[in-house]
C-alpha cells in the first residue's frame, strides 16, 4: 500500500498493526493529487485522507499504475469522484471510528467560544488577571440546533442534553430514536442560539449556511462547524460576523482548507484573506480539522482501514465500500446518476 500525506500519528498506529494484517506500507508525506498520483505505480492499494484530490485524472493515473483499491482513512468521501471510480477502482472508507471524538471537539469549541477560555489562557500566561471582556453566557437553557443527526450528531445531541440545553434537530432523513425535537430547517434557523453542523458535504448541502439562511437566524447566533468547510459560505459568514448579525463561529473545517490545514504555514504570508480576517476576530475560533484526533479514533482508523484491505485481498464482501451501487453507505448514488 502507498500511504499518502503521512503524519507521525498515522504512522505510529498503522505500524503497530500492519504485521497482524500482513500489509506492507510505504509512507509518503505528499498529498494525493494530479501531480503525485504517478507515485502509486505498482501499488495495488492506495491510502488517502480528507484533503486529497481524487478526480478523473487521478483515478485514471492510479488505475494505469495498477492500483485496484482506494482505502480512504476517513468517513467523508466528498473529495472522491465516486461515479468516476465505478468499474475502475474499488473504494473503501472508515464510516465510524469515534463519533465521540468529533462530538466532544464540537462541544470543546463551543465552550471555549462562549467562556473565552482561549483569551483567558493567553492573558494569564502574561500575568494579566483582568476579567474585563471575558463575560460569557450559560449554555443551560439555551436552544441549540443540530443539523445532521447521524452518528456524530446524535452523540452531540446527548452531550447538549447533559448541559440542560433545549435541542432542536434537522435531518433530511430523520431518525426515530433522537433525543431532540425535529423541526424544519427554517424553524431551526429561526429558533437556535447556537447551530452545529453534522451532515455530510453533498451537492445539496454545499453552502447550506449562506447569506440568505444567515438572515433567518437569530441576531447573535453562533455557528459550530466540525463537518466539512464548504457547508458554510465563508464570505457570507465573514460579512455576518462583521455586521454583528452572528455572535461567533467555531470552525474545525474551512472550505479552502486544502493546502493550508495540516501544514505549518507560520512563516508564510497568509494569502487567503477571508481566513486571515476570520482568524483575526476575537469571536472566531479555528482548529485545523482536528476533531477526529484522539488516540481512540486513530487506532480505530488504522484497524478498520487494514481490515478493509484484508477483506478485499481475501475476496470477502467489503462492508465499508462506497460505490454507485451500494445501498448501505452514506448517501448512495443511484444508477440513474451514473
Ligand atoms: P452519518 O452519515 O452518520 O450522519 C450524517 C447525517 O446527515 C445523516 O443522519 C444524514 O441523514 C444527514 N444528512 C444527509 N444529507 C443531509 C441534508 N441534505 N440535510 C440534513 N442532513 C443530512 O455521518 P457522521 O459519522 O455523523 O459524520 C458527519 C460528518 O462529519 C461527515 O460527513 C464528515 O464530513 C464529518 N466529519 C468530520 C470530522 C472532523 O475531524 N472534523 C471527522 C469525521 C467526520
Amino acid at each position: 500500500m502507498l500511504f499518502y500525506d503521512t503524519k507521525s500519528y498515522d504512522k505510529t498506529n498503522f505500524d503497530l498493526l500492519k504485521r497482524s494484517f500482513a500489509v506492507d506500507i510505504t509512507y509518503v508525506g505528499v498529498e494525493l493529487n494530479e501531480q503525485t498520483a504517478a507515485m502509486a505505480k505498482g501499488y495495488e492499494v492506495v491510502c488517502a485522507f480528507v484533503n486529497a484530490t481524487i478526480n478523473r485524472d487521478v483515478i485514471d493515473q492510479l488505475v494505469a499504475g495498477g492500483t485496484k483499491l482506494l482505502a480512504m482513512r476517513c468517513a467523508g468521501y466528498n473529495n472522491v469522484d465516486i461515479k468516476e471510480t465505478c468499474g475502475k477502482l474499488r473504494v473503501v472508507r472508515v464510516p465510524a471510528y469515534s463519533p465521540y471524538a468529533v462530538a466532544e471537539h464540537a462541544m470543546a469549541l463551543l465552550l471555549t467560544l462562549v467562556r473565552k477560555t482561549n483569551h483567558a489562557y493567553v492573558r494569564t500566561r502574561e500575568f494579566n488577571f483582568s476579567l474585563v471582556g471575558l463575560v460569557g453566557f450559560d449554555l443551560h437553557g439555551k436552544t441549540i440546533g443540530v443539523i445532521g443527526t447521524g452518528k456524530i450528531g446524535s452523540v452531540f445531541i446527548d452531550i447538549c442534553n447533559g448541559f440542560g440545553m433545549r435541542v432542536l434537530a434537522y435531518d433530511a432523513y430523520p431518525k426515530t430514536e433522537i433525543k431532540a425535537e425535529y423541526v424544519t430547517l427554517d424553524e431551526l434557523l429561526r429558533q437556535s442560539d447556537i447551530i452545529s453542523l453534522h451532515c455530510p458535504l453533498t451537492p445539496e448541502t454545499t453552502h447550506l449556511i449562506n447569506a440568505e439562511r444567515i438572515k433567518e437566524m437569530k441576531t447573535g447566533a453562533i455557528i459550530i462547524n466540525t463537518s466539512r468547510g464548504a457547508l458554510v459560505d465563508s464570505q457570507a459568514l465573514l460579512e455576518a460576523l462583521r455586521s454583528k448579525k452572528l455572535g461567533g463561529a467555531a470552525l474545525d473545517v474551512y472550505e479552502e482548507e486544502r493546502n493550508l490545514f495540516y501544514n505549518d504555514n507560520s512563516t508564510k504570508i497568509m494569502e487567503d484573506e477571508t481566513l486571515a480576517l476570520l482568524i483575526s476576530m476575537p469571536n472566531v475560533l479555528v482548529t485545523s480539522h482536528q476533531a477526529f484526533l484522539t488516540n481512540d479514533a486513530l487506532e480505530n482508523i488504522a484497524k478498520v482501514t487494514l481490515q478493509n484491505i484484508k477483506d478485499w485481498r481475501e475476496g470477502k464482501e467489503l462492508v465499508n465500500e462506497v460505490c454507485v451501487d451500494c445501498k448501505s453507505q452514506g448517501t448512495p448514488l443511484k444508477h440513474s446518476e451514473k
Side-chain angles (χ1 to χ4, degrees):
M1 167 163 77
L2 186 64
F3 195 103
Y4 280 96
D5 194 20
T6 311
K7 301 290 185 244
S8 54
Y9 46 82
D10 295 316
K11 193 166 181 301
T12 305
N13 285 282
F14 276 84
D15 276 352
L16 272 176
L17 293 168
K18 66 182 184 186
R19 270 205 197 147
S20 45
F21 287 90
V23 176
D24 287 331
I25 307 179
T26 303
Y27 296 100
V28 291
V30 294
E31 192 80 88
L32 173 58
N33 56 34
E34 295 91 338
Q35 284 75 45
T36 60
M39 290 169 73
K41 190 168 192 291
Y43 288 90
E44 287 180 289
V45 183
V46 156
C47 187
F49 198 46
V50 292
N51 285 330
T53 303
I54 306 167
N55 56 20
R56 183 185 197 160
D57 180 9
V58 170
I59 291 162
D60 287 344
Q61 286 194 56
L62 293 178
V63 173
T67 299
K68 296 185 171 58
L69 182 72
L70 172 63
M72 298 301 294
R73 55 181 191 278
C74 49
Y77 50 89
N78 52 284
N79 55 333
V80 184
D81 186 338
I82 292 296
K83 286 186 206 175
E84 211 40 65
T85 60
C86 190
K88 296 179 177 175
L89 193 61
R90 296 186 77 180
V91 183
V92 284
R93 65 168 182 146
V94 185
Y97 39 86
S98 172
Y100 308 101
V102 182
E104 288 171 15
H105 190 76
M107 183 46 88
L109 290 176
L110 176 57
L111 281 171
T112 307
L113 200 64
V114 302
R115 300 307 302 270
K116 307 179 198 241
T117 43
N118 51 336
H119 296 292
Y121 171 77
V122 172
R123 282 190 191 184
T124 55
R125 282 176 65 84
E126 294 193 342
F127 308 111
N128 173 358
F129 300 116
S130 162
L131 297 184
V132 175
L134 296 186
V135 179
F137 63 80
D138 292 6
L139 290 181
H140 186 271
K142 297 293 182 300
T143 300
I144 187 156
V146 178
I147 301 181
T149 57
K151 291 177 284 298
I152 296 169
S154 52
V155 172
F156 186 68
I157 287 171
D158 288 346
I159 295 174
C160 293
N161 280 315
F163 274 78
M165 303 180 84
R166 174 177 173 240
V167 191
L168 302 179
Y170 169 73
D171 195 300
Y173 310 93
K175 323 284 178 297
T176 47
E177 68 285 6
I178 292 301
K179 295 187 198 104
E181 182 191 340
Y182 274 119
V183 290
T184 62
L185 181 56
D186 286 349
E187 204 54 49
L188 183 146
L189 298 174
R190 269 199 294 276
Q191 290 197 37
S192 301
D193 301 299
I194 299 145
I195 292 172
S196 192
L197 304 175
H198 299 287
C199 58
L201 179 64
T202 63
E204 296 79 48
T205 61
T206 300
H207 286 185
L208 180 84
I209 301 297
N210 56 23
E212 282 305 300
R213 294 228 165 90
I214 290 173
K215 270 192 211 150
E216 291 185 53
M217 292 178 198
K218 275 188 173 178
T219 296
I222 284 176
I223 292 182
I224 312 291
N225 188 7
T226 55
S227 201
R228 283 292 181 270
L231 294 176
V232 177
D233 177 342
S234 325
Q235 199 55 42
L237 176 68
L238 182 63
E239 293 310 322
L241 289 162
R242 264 181 172 153
S243 67
K244 302 196 175 60
K245 167 68 188 174
L246 290 179
L251 312 173
D252 184 51
V253 286
Y254 173 65
E255 60 180 327
E256 302 297 335
E257 71 180 51
R258 185 173 282 159
N259 301 327
L260 284 175
F261 283 18
Y262 301 133
N263 298 316
D264 179 0
N265 295 295
S266 59
T267 57
K268 298 178 189 152
I269 306 276
M270 174 50 63
E271 288 183 2
D272 186 322
E273 289 180 8
T274 305
L275 182 62
L277 286 168
L278 284 170
I279 287 177
S280 75
M281 292 180 165
N283 52 351
V284 173
L285 191 59
V286 174
T287 52
S288 43
H289 205 145
Q290 69 171 74
F292 73 99
L293 198 66
T294 65
N295 280 328
D296 314 74
L298 289 169
E299 196 183 315
N300 286 336
I301 287 172
K303 258 189 211 153
V304 176
T305 303
L306 291 166
Q307 185 65 50
N308 285 341
I309 296 165
K310 187 168 181 274
D311 289 347
W312 168 78
R313 193 179 52 213
E314 293 173 358
K316 291 189 179 154
E317 186 198 353
L318 297 182
V319 288
N320 296 322
E321 182 162 27
V322 188
C323 76
V324 283
D325 299 321
C326 270
K327 290 177 195 71
S328 58
Q329 303 295 318
T331 313
L333 298 167
K334 306 217 168 51
H335 273 296
S336 54
E337 292 178 293
K338 274 193 215 175

